[in-house]
Amino acid sequence: MQDHYSLLHTIYEIVKNDPQPERYSCKPRELILRRMQEWSDIQQQIHQLEREELITTEQQETMVIRITVAGISLVKEQLEMARSGN
């Protein structure tokens, strides 16, 4: 799996139990703690996901990352494919 899709899965894991996962404001700290990567690497992956419209970002006090409905759908599709062995 490409690194940026792996990051998308990480974001999904953070937000999946929220009643409105696409509205959950994920913070960089949450990603850094879970990914154990340099922030500069995570930022590159964030930009790639944003270009693909799988997440959105917004600058508030700190950067806020939100998964989009398309991002949620892609992760669910990939998880289903993994379960079925494809």
Side-chain angles (χ1 to χ4, degrees):
M1 181 182 308
Q2 295 176 4
D3 280 347
H4 68 291
Y5 290 136
S6 181
L7 178 64
L8 183 65
H9 280 256
T10 300
I11 296 168
Y12 176 77
E13 287 299 315
I14 292 169
V15 306
K16 71 180 181 183
N17 293 321
D18 194 87
Q20 293 181 303
E22 69 280 358
R23 302 191 91 190
Y24 182 94
S25 297
C26 187
K27 305 286 195 281
R29 179 180 174 85
E30 293 173 280
L31 300 178
I32 292 167
L33 291 173
R34 291 173 193 242
R35 297 289 296 172
M36 305 298 273
Q37 289 181 303
E38 294 291 325
W39 176 239
S40 60
D41 294 335
I42 294 172
Q43 279 183 304
Q44 289 175 357
Q45 296 165 20
I46 286 171
H47 293 307
Q48 180 63 35
L49 290 169
E50 198 165 28
R51 281 192 295 275
E52 294 181 31
E53 299 181 354
L54 300 173
I55 64 167
T56 61
T57 61
E58 180 182 331
Q59 190 63 43
Q60 295 181 355
E61 294 172 13
T62 185
M63 178 188 279
V64 170
I65 301 122
R66 292 188 185 95
I67 194 167
T68 63
V69 172
I72 293 169
S73 295
L74 179 63
V75 171
K76 287 181 176 180
E77 180 182 304
Q78 289 176 341
L79 291 172
E80 185 59 38
M81 285 175 47
R83 277 190 220 107
S84 67
N86 291 336

